[in-house]
């Protein structure tokens, strides 16, 4: 085993933690991890602790970087850009915001009210919940770096194309008037000391942790149930890779669910382990994070139905295409 492989197993996959949990389940709880109950308990404890550790470390690091780019500074940086460069910058900015889609909407309002092109704000809105840097690390911890990098790249492409198409549609008239007239505060950039940035990052960890922990527990619980209790034949009958409808079905059934990648990744992991296509599982995960019903309800407060419908249609179609692509090229990625 090479050094990089060993580091990946121990730091991202946390094999040491899996071994410790196995000892806990077998010696403390007296359960064999080869049984359904023992395997479910091992899956639940191991995944919850692993995700919470990665979540805390990643959000702290991302928030530290984000402290250098407050909304006012970000708006000034994007304000001088147009076209593809502006859309790409908006999408890349979304990767630095470790928030769910609902949390991204206030920034979307701020960007729109400050006069940024609609294409840029929607590139940000698509990218932010879909491909933040935490998703890169978490996907690598569950699958591998090739899949993780490919996921982030196609997510950014979707954000750029989606934002560009929405911008070309010239639908500014479907933005609610209060958004365009929201006050914009152009505050001077505060010179923060390292201690201030550390406090900010720690506060972000606490705030986001407090918001997502329940979804992590629910998501891991569902993942454990799928992994150990639901027959592979049943899952295959619904979402088997051989069925043409598996990808759109996975994307559509995910819409009513409200969670983020921290809660949906264990479900995707369990689905793949049961024989569901990689692209089908990722389509489910992407649809949950980008098109959850609560976020669409919030977005409906700031844009009118034609613009909302165009946004949903573009993102849903993009997710389905990405799902088919991942299913087709999965052998090359694994």
């Amino acid at each position: 085993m090479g050094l990089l492989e060993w580091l990946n197993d121990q730091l991202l996959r946390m094999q040491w933690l899996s071994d410790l949990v196995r000892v806990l389940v077998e010696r403390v709880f007296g359960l064999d991890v080869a049984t359904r109950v023992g395997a479910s308990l091992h899956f639940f404890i191991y995944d919850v602790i692993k995700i919470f550790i990665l979540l805390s470390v990643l959000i702290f690091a991302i928030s530290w970087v984000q402290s250098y780019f407050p909304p006012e500074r970000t708006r000034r940086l994007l304000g001088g850009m147009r076209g593809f460069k502006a859309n790409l910058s908006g999408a890349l900015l979304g990767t630095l915001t470790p928030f769910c889609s609902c949390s991204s909407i206030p920034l979307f309002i701020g960007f729109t009210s400050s006069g940024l092109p609609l294409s840029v704000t929607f590139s940000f809105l698509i990218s932010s919940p879909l491909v933040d840097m935490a998703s890169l690390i978490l996907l690598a911890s569950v699958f591998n770096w090739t899949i993780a990098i490919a996921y982030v790249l196609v997510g950014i492409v979707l954000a750029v194309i989606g934002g560009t198409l929405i911008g070309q549609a010239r639908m500014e008239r479907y933005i609610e008037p209060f958004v365009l007239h929201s006050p914009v505060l152009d505050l001077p950039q505060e010179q923060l000391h390292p201690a201030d940035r550390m406090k900010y990052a720690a506060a972000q960890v606490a705030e986001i942790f407090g918001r997502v922990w329940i979804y992590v527990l629910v998501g891991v619980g569902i993942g454990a149930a799928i992994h150990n209790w639901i027959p592979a034949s049943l899952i295959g009958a619904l979402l088997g890779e051989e069925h043409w409808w598996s990808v759109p079905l996975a994307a559509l059934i995910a819409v009513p669910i409200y969670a983020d990648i921290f809660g949906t990744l264990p479900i995707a992991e369990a689905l793949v382990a049961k024989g569901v296509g990689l692209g089908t599982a990722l389509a489910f995960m992407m649809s949950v994070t980008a098109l959850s019903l609560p976020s669409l309800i919030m977005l409906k407060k700031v844009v009118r139905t034609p613009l909302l419908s165009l946004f949903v249609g573009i993102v849903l179609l993009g997710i389905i295409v990405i799902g088919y692509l991942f299913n087709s090229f999965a052998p090359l990625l694994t």
Side-chain angles (χ1 to χ4, degrees):
M1 180 184 296
L3 177 60
L4 290 179
E5 185 178 354
W6 182 86
L7 289 173
N8 188 73
D9 286 343
Q10 299 303 319
L11 295 181
L12 291 184
R13 298 183 184 273
M14 297 188 192
Q15 184 60 46
W16 57 271
L17 177 61
S18 178
D19 295 338
L20 285 176
V21 174
R22 179 185 297 271
V23 172
L24 174 69
V25 171
E26 292 181 341
R27 297 187 181 179
V28 177
F29 295 106
L31 298 172
D32 187 350
V33 294
T35 64
R36 284 183 174 181
V37 175
S40 297
L41 188 60
H42 179 274
F43 185 101
F44 184 83
I45 296 175
Y46 164 64
D47 262 40
V48 165
I49 296 175
K50 181 184 74 172
I51 290 175
F52 281 164
I53 291 174
L54 289 174
L55 173 64
S56 300
V57 173
L58 291 170
I59 299 306
F60 186 92
I62 294 170
S63 298
W64 181 285
V65 173
Q66 197 180 32
S67 69
Y68 289 91
F69 297 94
E72 295 78 20
R73 183 181 183 187
T74 301
R75 179 175 56 80
R76 287 196 296 269
L77 289 174
L78 293 177
M81 301 180 185
R82 289 293 182 271
F84 172 78
K85 182 179 179 181
N87 291 346
L88 178 60
S89 298
L92 292 176
L93 174 65
T95 67
L96 297 178
T97 54
F99 307 131
C100 65
S101 51
C102 290
S103 303
S104 305
I105 291 173
L107 278 176
F108 167 83
I109 295 173
F111 290 165
T112 304
S113 63
S114 64
L116 289 180
L118 198 61
S119 61
V120 177
T121 57
F122 269 99
S123 288
F124 168 83
L125 187 64
I126 296 170
S127 173
S128 181
L130 203 59
V131 291
D132 60 73
M133 295 309 296
S135 65
L136 174 66
I137 305 299
L138 286 171
L139 280 165
S141 73
V142 170
F143 299 113
N144 60 47
W145 278 103
T146 304
I147 292 173
I149 293 172
Y151 173 87
V152 170
L153 289 177
V154 297
I156 292 174
V157 170
L158 173 57
V160 173
I161 293 177
T164 300
L165 291 175
I166 291 174
Q168 291 294 323
R170 308 294 182 189
M171 303 188 77
E172 286 79 3
R173 64 187 181 278
Y174 294 114
I175 301 174
E176 293 294 346
F178 81 90
V179 175
L180 300 175
H181 298 96
S182 296
V184 178
L185 298 178
D186 194 7
L187 300 177
Q189 169 68 15
E190 182 180 1
Q191 298 299 318
L192 298 176
H193 296 290
D196 298 320
R197 300 188 191 281
M198 185 172 295
K199 290 179 182 178
Y200 170 77
Q204 287 291 96
V205 171
E207 194 270 333
I208 296 174
F209 194 96
R211 192 171 65 235
V212 306
W213 69 269
I214 186 63
Y215 301 113
V216 173
L217 295 183
V218 172
V220 174
I222 294 174
I226 292 173
H227 197 278
N228 298 288
W229 294 92
I230 300 180
S233 58
L234 177 59
I235 295 177
L238 292 173
L239 298 175
E241 190 174 352
E242 68 276 9
H243 302 312
W244 67 265
W245 66 76
S246 63
V247 173
L249 178 61
L252 288 172
I253 64 177
V255 172
I257 303 172
Y258 177 57
D260 51 29
I261 191 171
F262 308 115
T264 54
L265 187 55
I267 301 176
E269 176 187 10
L271 289 174
V272 171
K274 283 292 184 178
V276 172
L278 175 64
T280 305
L282 291 181
F284 172 84
M285 187 177 73
M286 296 175 83
S287 189
V288 169
T289 54
L291 295 175
S292 65
L293 190 58
S295 69
L296 295 182
I297 292 173
M298 286 189 64
L299 188 57
K300 181 63 176 65
K301 301 294 185 182
V302 297
V303 301
R304 295 173 183 169
T305 301
L307 179 52
L308 179 66
S309 300
L310 179 63
F311 166 76
V312 172
I314 288 174
V315 174
L316 185 60
L317 178 61
I319 288 173
I320 292 173
V321 170
I322 289 171
Y324 283 127
L325 288 175
F326 268 100
N327 277 347
S328 298
F329 293 99
L332 301 177
L333 299 174
T334 55

